[in-house]
Amino acid sequence: MEWGTVVSVAVGGLIGLSGDTIGRIGARRQAQRARQESLEDAEADRRRAIEDESRAAKADRERSAVENILGAYLAHPVMLLNQQPADTARSATEICAVLGFEQSFLLDKELRLRIAEICYLVDMALSDTVPGYSLPEVAFLSRSETRMLMGAWSRGEALPDSIEGWRQIRQLRPDIEAQWQGKLRDAGSSIEVPPLSIY
């Protein structure tokens, strides 16, 4: 046998062996890349599932907040006539407590602000600082305003302008805040009237 043939066979064997080795390495890398992509896809799916679950939980909590807000007016009625002032004050306080808590769970920013404002104004009406309106009138109008807002929200409609009486109370807000601040000052308090806040 000639050396040239032996060398050719040896070189061919080495080339074949290196090709086989390179092929195996490439296959391993490809399998590793496929596993990595599969893991990344699974992680992305997991994150999407968590986000979907979180959105669904927030939407459920928002619906619950709307139900609780509307339920507060049913559980604590405010009547324009034939209700004892202490009962009216108790009902308005309970309604305000529910609105103040539940508005935090409303995802719609405009709705959250409008409900926070209703709570704010009913709270101030409890100290007789709404010029031209009694506590029963403020609480009664707040119920109509709240029902209108929640109805529009539940139908997926844009929130409408305020009802007539409530619009007037909203316009009085600077005067209401000034009267409330005066009452606090007269009582010896140095606390400033907190601004309407939305959480």
Side-chain angles (χ1 to χ4, degrees):
M1 187 176 262
E2 289 184 28
W3 281 105
T5 305
V6 171
V7 169
S8 293
V9 169
V11 168
L14 286 173
I15 290 173
L17 185 60
S18 66
D20 186 47
T21 303
I22 290 171
R24 285 184 188 155
I25 292 170
R28 263 190 248 130
R29 283 187 183 154
Q30 192 173 11
Q32 187 177 13
R33 197 173 309 124
R35 277 193 302 275
Q36 183 63 34
E37 287 173 2
S38 177
L39 288 172
E40 289 170 1
D41 289 345
E43 179 60 22
D45 289 345
R46 188 184 73 76
R47 270 190 255 119
R48 271 193 298 275
I50 290 170
E51 289 169 6
D52 290 345
E53 188 177 313
S54 175
R55 269 193 296 277
K58 287 177 183 176
D60 287 346
R61 184 59 185 94
E62 182 179 40
R63 275 189 293 279
S64 175
V66 168
E67 290 170 4
N68 292 339
I69 288 168
L70 291 172
Y73 284 98
L74 293 174
H76 309 286
V78 175
M79 294 176 277
L80 286 172
L81 301 171
N82 303 322
Q83 188 173 26
Q84 294 297 316
D87 293 336
T88 302
R90 191 171 22 263
S91 287
T93 300
E94 292 295 332
I95 289 166
C96 193
V98 173
L99 268 60
F101 178 75
E102 295 293 347
Q103 60 92 17
S104 300
F105 299 101
L106 299 174
L107 302 176
D108 182 296
K109 186 175 182 178
E110 185 184 357
L111 179 61
R112 191 167 60 246
L113 180 60
R114 298 272 295 269
I115 295 300
E117 183 182 48
I118 290 169
C119 176
Y120 185 71
L121 291 168
V122 170
D123 187 34
M124 285 193 273
L126 282 160
S127 59
D128 295 323
T129 54
V130 181
Y133 290 90
S134 67
L135 174 59
E137 290 170 326
V138 173
F140 185 83
L141 288 170
S142 79
R143 180 181 69 192
S144 298
E145 178 79 355
T146 301
R147 284 180 176 169
M148 179 201 61
L149 291 172
M150 295 307 181
W153 174 85
S154 67
R155 292 184 298 275
E157 299 172 358
L159 298 181
D161 291 335
S162 289
I163 61 172
E164 184 56 36
W166 193 256
R167 183 171 36 251
Q168 292 166 350
I169 291 172
R170 289 178 79 191
Q171 291 169 349
L172 290 171
R173 202 170 98 200
D175 297 333
I176 295 167
E177 290 171 336
Q179 282 195 26
W180 196 17
Q181 187 65 64
K183 280 196 170 203
L184 289 173
R185 221 178 0 262
D186 292 346
S189 175
S190 60
I191 299 291
E192 292 292 316
V193 172
L196 173 62
S197 57
I198 181 167
Y199 302 100

